[in-house]
Amino acid sequence: MSGVEVKPGRRVVGSDLARHDAIEKVAGRTVYAADFALPGMLHARLKRSDYAHAKLTRVDTTAAEALDGVVAVYTAADVPRNTVWVDVPGQTLEVGALKARSNVLADGVVRYHGEPIALVAAESDDAALAALDAIEVDYEPLPVVDDAERALDPEAPQIHESGNLLAHWELEEGDAEAGIASAAAVVEDEYRTQFIDHAYLEPEAGVSWRDTDGVITIRAATQVVEHFRDVARILDLPDNKVRLITPYVGGGFGGKEDMTVEPYLGIVVALTGRPARMVWSRQESLQARQNRHAVRMRYRTGADADGRLVAMDVDILSDGGAYALLSALVLLYSTTCAAGPYRCPNVRIRARTVYTNHTPCSAMRGFGGMQVALGYEGQMDRLAAELGVDPLELRRRNFVERGDTLPIGQPLETTVELPALIEAVTERLEPPPEPSAPRRAVGRGFACNLQPYGRCVWLNDWSSAWIGFELDGTLVIRIAVPDIGGGQASSLIQIASEVLGVAPERITIHIGDSALNPLTGTTTATRQLYMSGNAVLKAARDLREQLAGVAAELLEVEPEQVEFGAEGVSVAGGERSLEFRELLAACASVDVSWHVHATYRAPKGVPWQADESWRGRVFPDFTYGCHAADVEVDLDSGQTRVLRYVAGHDVGQTINPQSVEGQIEGGVAMGLGYALSERLVFDEAQNLTGSFAQYLIPTAVEVPEIDTVVLESGEGMGPFNARGIGEPPIGPPAPAVAAAIRDAIGARLTELPFTPERVAAAVRAREEDADAEG
């Protein structure tokens, strides 16, 4: 990666500190959700639907309940409140499009293959599995809707009484039709993306128990500690009677943003009074957990003779699957990002998401911003070819700048360093290599993107943190942030260390507990460094200010002359000093607290209006990126190999360069899988993908060494002006690979993934056309 140096006057922010949990993870001692067990616990399993759409005419649990070791079998009638409304923590406005209903257990109709029908609690996992086989279910099959276009047909079967249109967003800036008509060059194409899985290492898992005070405690792998409220509603309990603890999570990527095991663990404890454990198999996870939306995009893009964009007309249709979950919000992100990081005076966007009988879709890394990158970047490359302009030069002419307004009406208040990113990325590139053999071709492609970080401003987002000293001078942070493997907790330690001077190894952080730590909101939307980082920064600064006042009196200087160090405070120059334990004793004597609770509130934008006039600020800010890929294509088999990859992003300010590099490399690797191999396969809405032998994640053999380029503009909205980097790197890989394949074979693919079969077919079609012309 680029040489990121600690800025003058900084202690640890910007330095390559090892994460505080690194040794435990490398040594294999980290305890994940599935590693917990309790005496006398029950094993919970779910009976899932064999059909994608059917009425349940009979669910007979008698035989299952009679089996040795089976304690209970529950159906929808046993759940206190079986209907679940998606809770968006912090939302105070009635944003109708964001309200989503689903069921804990099927309500008499199953709407997707794998939908839970019954919940088994047994003394052993073997007994629970036997009970699943003994449950008798009679189905009356219903017509299946397995195509988003067909779902909009008025004659199509209706998945829900409300109809198949789940949500829609529409906007128009200027006159798109007039702009297209006036354009010197117009390109039009359709782009399609596939359903994919999060494929994290840790499957869905958790344990639960009832404390002596009647509180139901659930320890589960989740990205949202605030799900304790959802479980309380399901159990018809007060919120304070459910506690959710999140241990370190073995990957989330959005797949643990919606509830998975939490409600079922709560039900077993509430109805049996005994501890419970639930762990999903990989097959179960692949079959029935929410996916990334498959999206069809149609773009018409026009430019003038100088290559400046004059119009975009975009139609987006996404497949939301059988239940709404977060589809409307994901679609909002797609709408917001649909024009890319480009200035265009005339833009029309129509975006819709529909119900089908596919597995429900919801959050996944990139959250609607990465699908449209395939579309807007494909259009830029096509326009460049049409106009005979270098693709990077065409982008330079059209990049948005600070002060511009996106088509949604959001002004850009921070710098856009995309021209500098292009220069930095191209400087890293060597000439493309020669093909390794006959009938092989090498190509190079580029792609740029913008990705919001932080949640939609309508949701009144906030995050809280508690920081306090122990009397021996060590420091404690309490914050309910779920750490899902991205170093969320370690970055907070680094921020506190920077402000208060305490060495990172003398700081302990307690995370992920709804009962004991201040709530922070979701580890989603690239928001935790931004939100919780700012909360910790605020708390640390407030605490420093409190202690500096006492220290100044003892040292007989002004508060601003007090310096904080690893062991205590001192006067500039070091001629007088106090150890922390001395300072804390003095604070106690004058009644000054040595701990602080602080809340950071995100900026707000134009409030949601009942007429859906949502133009204005939608997100706090954006992160920008530019990537380059070199690929080699076997012209006979269609096999595509990525030879070299350079990924550049402006991160505002690095908190930990290793973590930044890891986020970029991980995002690129996941994006390459999205581009070349990963897909969930359905046949009439039956999910046929049951293992990683069928779901092809790129391995170390397929992923090249990724060269990361990090720019620091110092203009982000996070702590020390950092920008979010968790999601942005996953956007450019697919369009960059598409452009590289186009450069290699002379044909651009527009449907993901670019499998060998699709690439080979494109090569054959190109060669047949060439033969016909010859």
Side-chain angles (χ1 to χ4, degrees):
M1 66 180 294
S2 61
V4 179
E5 298 180 356
V6 180
K7 289 183 171 54
R10 295 268 168 86
R11 294 186 181 91
V12 294
V13 163
S15 64
D16 280 321
L17 291 183
R19 293 183 186 175
H20 77 288
D21 57 343
I23 293 175
E24 292 296 302
K25 286 185 174 178
V26 171
R29 293 194 297 263
T30 301
V31 180
Y32 292 94
D35 295 324
F36 288 93
L38 296 164
M41 69 181 184
L42 299 174
H43 296 260
R45 287 278 186 172
L46 290 167
K47 175 70 173 180
R48 296 182 178 276
S49 172
D50 296 322
Y51 286 77
H53 199 197
K55 289 183 180 179
L56 299 176
T57 58
R58 186 176 71 99
V59 179
D60 190 342
T61 63
T62 306
E65 291 169 328
L67 292 176
D68 287 342
V70 174
V71 174
V73 181
Y74 302 115
T75 61
D78 301 304
V79 182
R81 291 187 179 180
N82 191 58
T83 298
V84 178
W85 289 94
V86 171
D87 178 32
V88 184
Q91 180 179 323
T92 58
L93 300 172
E94 286 296 316
V95 184
L98 302 185
K99 293 179 72 66
R101 180 185 69 84
S102 61
N103 300 311
V104 179
L105 296 171
D107 61 353
V109 176
V110 289
R111 297 175 175 85
Y112 67 95
H113 177 217
E115 181 169 358
I117 296 172
L119 170 63
V120 170
E123 300 287 356
S124 68
D125 200 41
D126 286 343
L129 290 171
L132 297 186
D133 290 337
I135 296 172
E136 298 178 11
V137 181
D138 290 340
Y139 300 91
E140 180 184 318
L142 296 171
V144 169
V145 180
D146 62 353
D147 179 80
E149 296 274 8
R150 181 169 171 253
L152 290 172
D153 188 327
E155 302 302 317
Q158 301 299 291
I159 313 300
H160 296 279
E161 297 82 356
S162 59
N164 290 342
L165 180 62
L166 192 164
H168 67 96
W169 305 99
E170 298 187 14
L171 66 85
E172 184 159 6
E173 174 70 17
D175 189 331
E177 284 299 333
I180 292 288
S182 69
V186 177
V187 295
E188 183 173 357
D189 216 331
E190 179 175 288
Y191 304 86
R192 291 182 178 269
T193 69
Q194 75 278 36
F195 297 107
I196 71 167
D197 186 77
H198 306 76
Y200 31 63
L201 290 175
E202 178 195 29
E204 299 75 2
V207 296
S208 59
W209 66 93
R210 192 196 301 273
D211 287 331
T212 54
D213 58 1
V215 173
I216 291 176
T217 300
I218 300 168
R219 187 190 296 266
T222 180
Q223 296 176 233
V224 184
V225 169
E226 284 82 350
H227 279 324
F228 75 91
R229 298 192 188 103
D230 300 295
V231 175
R233 292 191 191 104
I234 291 167
L235 301 179
D236 201 14
L237 293 173
D239 286 358
N240 64 1
K241 290 300 181 183
V242 177
R243 174 186 180 189
L244 184 55
I245 301 172
T246 306
Y248 286 97
V249 178
F253 312 117
K256 294 167 185 169
E257 180 171 351
D258 296 289
M259 288 189 293
T260 58
V261 300
E262 301 98 309
Y264 308 109
L265 289 169
I267 290 167
V268 173
V269 173
L271 298 185
T272 69
R274 292 178 57 180
R277 182 175 186 262
M278 176 178 274
V279 180
W280 289 7
S281 66
R282 183 61 64 183
Q283 180 181 9
E284 195 173 12
S285 183
L286 282 165
Q287 179 192 60
R289 194 256 330 286
Q290 63 275 12
N291 308 315
R292 170 173 281 145
H293 298 78
V295 179
R296 186 273 293 150
M297 298 161 282
R298 293 176 181 146
Y299 272 80
R300 286 192 302 159
T301 310
D304 64 20
D306 293 326
R308 287 181 170 79
L309 298 178
V310 295
M312 286 191 197
D313 185 16
V314 186
D315 185 274
I316 301 168
L317 178 62
S318 88
D319 189 329
Y323 291 95
L325 301 181
L326 294 173
S327 289
L329 197 55
V330 173
L331 187 70
L332 173 66
Y333 279 62
S334 294
T335 307
T336 303
C337 298
Y342 304 110
R343 184 187 303 110
C344 186
N346 304 291
V347 177
R348 178 171 60 200
I349 302 172
R350 180 174 70 158
R352 295 164 293 170
T353 185
V354 297
Y355 291 113
T356 67
N357 291 117
H358 287 124
T359 308
C361 295
S362 193
M364 188 169 177
R365 190 178 195 175
F367 205 84
M370 66 174 299
Q371 290 101 324
V372 292
L374 182 70
Y376 61 69
E377 287 299 272
Q379 292 295 96
M380 295 302 287
D381 285 338
R382 290 204 58 193
L383 267 178
E386 185 77 11
L387 293 165
V389 177
D390 178 79
L392 291 181
E393 175 57 30
L394 184 72
R395 287 168 169 81
R396 289 188 189 97
R397 294 178 191 178
N398 289 285
F399 282 140
V400 291
E401 299 176 353
R402 186 214 308 268
D404 286 343
T405 300
L406 296 179
I408 57 173
Q410 173 155 353
L412 298 177
E413 301 167 349
T414 58
T415 188
V416 181
E417 294 291 340
L418 281 166
L421 283 168
I422 283 181
E423 296 306 315
V425 167
T426 54
E427 284 176 5
R428 294 291 184 90
L429 292 170
E430 300 170 354
E434 292 297 317
S436 62
R439 293 292 294 167
R440 293 187 181 177
V442 170
R444 171 170 289 173
F446 295 87
C448 300
N449 78 318
L450 85 168
Q451 177 77 35
Y453 61 92
R455 297 169 70 213
C456 170
V457 296
W458 303 334
L459 304 181
N460 304 319
D461 204 8
W462 56 271
S463 181
S464 293
W466 183 98
I467 298 181
F469 277 94
E470 296 294 356
L471 294 179
D472 64 353
T474 57
L475 194 68
V476 174
I477 303 171
R478 297 185 184 279
I479 188 164
V481 54
D483 189 313
I484 63 173
Q488 287 83 6
S490 285
S491 66
L492 302 181
I493 290 175
Q494 215 159 335
I495 291 165
S497 175
E498 179 69 36
V499 175
L500 293 166
V502 182
E505 59 268 21
R506 288 173 59 83
I507 301 175
T508 293
I509 186 167
H510 299 285
I511 63 171
D513 189 325
S514 67
L516 300 183
N517 297 323
L519 297 179
T520 63
T522 64
T523 299
T524 64
T526 312
R527 67 172 291 279
Q528 280 297 357
L529 176 63
Y530 162 52
M531 294 297 300
S532 293
N534 273 326
V536 167
L537 180 62
K538 185 175 187 296
R541 285 174 171 170
D542 289 350
L543 181 56
R544 179 184 173 120
E545 183 178 353
Q546 288 180 193
L547 299 183
V550 177
E553 291 189 15
L554 296 172
L555 298 172
E556 298 179 334
V557 295
E558 295 300 316
E560 55 270 19
Q561 294 177 275
V562 175
E563 294 186 347
F564 282 66
E567 300 297 330
V569 296
S570 62
V571 179
E575 68 265 18
R576 281 168 291 165
S577 64
L578 288 169
E579 290 186 3
F580 277 125
R581 65 180 67 224
E582 297 176 271
L583 176 57
L584 297 172
C587 289
S589 69
V590 295
D591 199 24
V592 171
S593 176
W594 52 89
H595 48 77
V596 164
H597 176 272
T599 298
Y600 174 75
R601 299 187 183 280
K604 296 178 179 160
V606 177
W608 172 271
Q609 302 295 323
D611 62 357
E612 298 188 3
S613 57
W614 51 283
R615 285 181 53 79
R617 185 175 196 163
V618 179
F619 298 106
D621 193 23
F622 298 85
T623 297
Y624 304 89
C626 175
H627 292 199
D630 286 343
V631 306
E632 182 179 67
V633 178
D634 185 313
L635 299 178
D636 294 315
S637 70
Q639 189 71 40
T640 300
R641 184 164 63 99
V642 182
L643 305 174
R644 179 174 173 79
Y645 203 97
V646 182
H649 290 272
D650 170 21
V651 300
Q653 162 68 53
T654 58
I655 302 301
N656 187 314
Q658 287 186 15
S659 290
V660 169
E661 181 179 12
Q663 288 293 329
I664 294 175
E665 290 180 348
V668 170
M670 184 175 276
L672 292 177
Y674 187 51
L676 293 170
S677 61
E678 294 183 39
R679 57 177 168 174
L680 290 166
V681 177
F682 291 85
D683 182 11
E684 295 186 354
Q686 295 282 119
N687 190 339
L688 304 182
T689 311
S691 73
F692 284 161
Q694 298 161 306
Y695 187 84
L696 304 181
I697 306 166
T699 68
V701 174
E702 287 85 31
V703 177
E705 183 175 346
I706 298 163
D707 190 358
T708 60
V709 176
V710 177
L711 295 187
E712 293 183 292
S713 65
E715 294 234 358
M717 297 185 68
F720 302 102
N721 304 112
R723 280 181 148 139
I725 194 61
E727 292 179 295
I730 200 172
V737 169
I741 292 173
R742 165 67 176 82
D743 189 43
I745 70 172
R748 188 175 187 101
L749 278 70
T750 58
E751 182 174 359
L752 294 177
F754 306 137
T755 60
E757 295 83 0
R758 287 173 176 166
V759 175
V763 171
R764 286 195 299 271
R766 182 75 173 173
E767 291 177 343
E768 288 169 2
D769 289 344
D771 290 343
E773 291 174 2

